[in-house]
Amino acid sequence: MLNNIILIGFMGAGKTTIGRELAKLCDSILLDSDKVIEMNHDMSVNEIFNRYGEEYFRQCEIKFCEFVRNNIKNAVIASGGGLPMRYDLRELGSVFYLKAPLEALIERVEEDRDTLRPLFSRFEIVGDLYHSRINRYENQADYTLNALDSISEISNKIYSYMKGY
Ligand code: S3P
């Protein structure tokens, strides 16, 4: 049985941070789609976008999902914000949507100077992108959480849900 925990949500929702905490709680490991793709290319997501284009990056994301579907049964998966648009993540395990208002996400991503996000540099499209995605996030979610709650609160909720209590 697939027992993976899949975290979805817009950029800045905290998927990687929550994923790390959850992996600890579940005594499992975190696989972050962006990080796996970066490691395989020895390039940042931003560099991959610039060099090969967004479509290439999306194909890498699908390849990542297929690998997880065929090989991974018990991990925490943090997905890139665009992944649910191309792939139904329910095929990989239980899906948790970290939901937050656009304004809060913009604030967080602006603060996070370590990760340059190619789609965030075009500010005029961020709002449209957010609104075009939220239905899909909602539809794929087995469970929706408030991404503005504390890291431990969110992680514990997901952990309890997975344990069935
Ligand atoms: C993207 C989100 C990013 C990364 C890439 C594209 C998107 O991941 O995959 O920059 O389309 O929303 P995070 O959601 O982890 O920032």
Side-chain angles (χ1 to χ4, degrees):
M1 194 188 104
L2 279 180
N3 222 1
N4 295 315
I5 299 176
I6 320 295
L7 303 176
I8 65 170
F10 203 66
M11 293 171 267
K15 292 160 291 184
T16 305
T17 312
I18 303 291
R20 243 180 237 131
E21 185 66 21
L22 254 178
K24 251 188 263 161
L25 266 179
C26 301
D27 194 22
S28 181
I29 59 154
L30 166 66
L31 288 176
D32 182 306
S33 63
D34 287 340
K35 302 282 185 287
V36 171
I37 294 168
E38 287 182 330
M39 189 175 57
N40 275 273
H41 289 78
D42 194 18
M43 289 165 95
S44 68
V45 169
N46 207 35
E47 286 166 338
I48 296 171
F49 263 69
N50 288 336
R51 179 124 163 225
Y52 302 117
E54 177 172 353
E55 187 51 35
Y56 174 80
F57 177 76
R58 299 300 176 198
Q59 292 307 318
C60 295
E61 289 190 308
I62 291 169
K63 197 167 160 188
F64 169 85
C65 289
E66 277 165 3
F67 181 82
V68 171
R69 183 156 57 95
N70 294 327
N71 298 286
I72 308 291
K73 293 197 166 27
N74 240 313
V76 178
I77 315 288
S79 65
L83 238 174
M85 307 308 288
R86 297 288 189 104
Y87 200 94
D88 187 343
L89 289 154
R90 285 170 295 191
E91 286 192 28
L92 306 185
S94 303
V95 179
F96 295 85
Y97 169 30
L98 305 181
K99 182 177 181 175
L102 177 62
E103 299 68 33
L105 296 169
I106 290 178
E107 218 168 274
R108 279 193 185 178
V109 171
E110 280 182 329
E111 274 167 16
D112 180 10
R113 304 231 166 255
D114 292 344
T115 319
L116 254 177
R117 288 164 170 96
L119 296 180
F120 235 91
S121 51
R122 287 142 61 194
F123 265 102
E124 68 283 5
I125 68 161
V126 171
D128 290 347
L129 207 56
Y130 176 85
H131 294 293
S132 70
R133 286 177 174 180
I134 42 184
N135 280 346
R136 201 139 167 111
Y137 293 150
E138 302 270 6
N139 290 340
Q140 286 189 22
D142 290 303
Y143 204 80
T144 299
L145 298 117
N146 180 359
L148 303 184
D149 284 346
S150 73
I151 297 168
S152 64
E153 203 171 331
I154 298 172
S155 310
N156 282 310
K157 269 191 191 157
I158 298 176
Y159 182 70
S160 304
Y161 183 90
M162 292 303 284
K163 292 272 164 214
Y165 51 77

